Amino acid sequence: MSPFSRLLSLGLLAFALTSCGRPEVTAELPSGQVVTIAPPSFGDARPHAWQGRAPSDYAVHGTDVSRFQGPIDWPTAAAAGVSFAFIKATEGGDRVDPMFHENWRGAARAGVPRGAYHFFYFCRPAAEQARWFIENVPKTARSLPPVLDMEWNPFSPTCTLRPTPEVVRAEALEFMRIVERHYGKPAIIYTTVDFYERNEMWRLRGHDFWLRSTAGHPSERYGSQSWRFWQYTGTGIVPGIATQADINVFNGSAAEWAGWLAQRGQ
């Protein structure tokens, strides 16, 4: 039996028609939480001419945000098709995004499944950064898994260090080991094409990847690397968000999304 059939047989999915005629899906998870998967109504300030499988071929879309997006109207964003959100929480070992707590609460009130991400700083030990993340991100059963954002930051005024690939991967594993033990959920690795290639991130097996690729499907940029989320634009136009925003897709159907949420403690 397919994942969709299993969920349907359990009565988890209900369908309605939106005003534009496309299906809206609601999924009631075992916890009793109801998750709505609305068809996305997004734009893009710099749209890409996708070849092959495009972001529009995926059912579940979401965003990731930080202070740079300013105040967000989360109910409007949810109604427009934001089905999940990754929210910047911390950076290094002493910085908290000033919009984190407002976004964390706002997404939850709007019924948007949300998780927190940490921007890695290569001039501090991974263990110190993991403790800082834990100190500032609530441990809640219904949050998405923690995310480790690993990419180069050439604009940092305080740290231009680029460790060897072996050190990068070891630090990533150390950070994830600590936060996974605390939150009880497997961490997600976010990365970019250049960082992934230079540091041979494919060697970190057994983890979900969130891959950035704004000019081609992940299969074109990352080869056979499996992935859970794909960040396909940084110039998205999302109702409820006043600035340009990142937009992402989940690698699976609406039913598979509901199943993934259930497995992650939603």
Side-chain angles (χ1 to χ4, degrees):
M1 182 181 290
S2 69
F4 180 86
S5 299
R6 286 196 296 270
L7 287 171
L8 191 60
S9 67
L10 291 173
L12 294 181
L13 296 181
F15 293 88
L17 289 179
T18 66
S19 59
C20 62
R22 295 182 63 187
E24 178 178 277
V25 182
T26 60
E28 182 177 351
L29 305 180
S31 64
Q33 182 185 11
V34 176
V35 175
T36 300
I37 304 162
S41 55
F42 306 145
D44 199 325
R46 297 177 60 187
H48 179 71
W50 299 99
Q51 303 296 319
R53 194 167 190 190
S56 59
D57 294 326
Y58 293 87
V60 184
H61 294 239
T63 190
D64 58 278
V65 298
S66 68
R67 65 185 177 90
F68 296 109
Q69 276 65 56
I72 295 172
D73 182 339
W74 285 103
T76 296
V82 171
S83 296
F84 61 86
F86 289 110
I87 300 168
K88 184 175 182 179
T90 53
E91 181 174 338
D94 58 0
R95 298 184 66 182
V96 178
D97 189 280
M99 293 295 294
F100 170 64
H101 293 291
E102 180 177 333
N103 283 329
W104 188 254
R105 292 188 295 265
R109 286 194 296 265
V112 177
R114 84 285 197 240
Y117 75 86
H118 174 81
F119 190 90
F120 199 83
Y121 185 72
F122 293 96
C123 294
R124 282 186 183 267
E128 183 179 327
Q129 297 188 58
R131 289 192 294 268
W132 180 245
F133 182 84
I134 290 169
E135 183 179 334
N136 288 282
V137 176
K139 181 180 180 180
T140 59
R142 293 183 177 180
S143 61
L144 301 179
V147 174
L148 173 59
D149 179 346
M150 298 203 87
E151 54 186 302
W152 298 128
N153 182 6
F155 306 109
S156 173
T158 57
C159 182
T160 58
L161 180 66
R162 293 195 175 194
T164 65
E166 292 76 17
V167 170
V168 166
R169 295 195 302 273
E171 288 288 274
L173 288 171
E174 176 70 359
F175 181 95
M176 291 189 292
R177 180 186 64 80
I178 294 171
V179 299
E180 288 172 350
R181 184 173 57 198
H182 177 78
Y183 294 100
K185 300 179 181 183
I188 298 169
I189 303 170
Y190 169 91
T191 194
T192 61
V193 175
D194 60 333
F195 191 94
Y196 175 89
E197 292 177 346
R198 194 265 190 183
N199 294 290
E200 301 179 353
M201 298 297 282
W202 61 82
R203 295 182 182 274
L204 298 180
R205 303 185 187 281
H207 294 277
D208 281 343
F209 273 84
W210 171 16
L211 302 176
R212 176 176 174 82
S213 181
T214 60
H217 190 272
S219 62
E220 299 175 30
R221 299 292 186 263
Y222 296 88
S224 61
Q225 174 64 56
S226 62
W227 55 276
R228 188 68 62 182
F229 297 94
W230 167 24
Q231 185 185 82
Y232 64 87
T233 184
T235 55
I237 300 171
V238 179
I241 302 179
T243 67
Q244 293 180 9
D246 295 333
I247 309 178
N248 309 269
V249 296
F250 170 78
N251 189 10
S253 66
E256 288 167 331
W257 169 243
W260 188 83
L261 287 178
Q263 291 174 355
R264 296 307 187 274
Q266 291 286 308

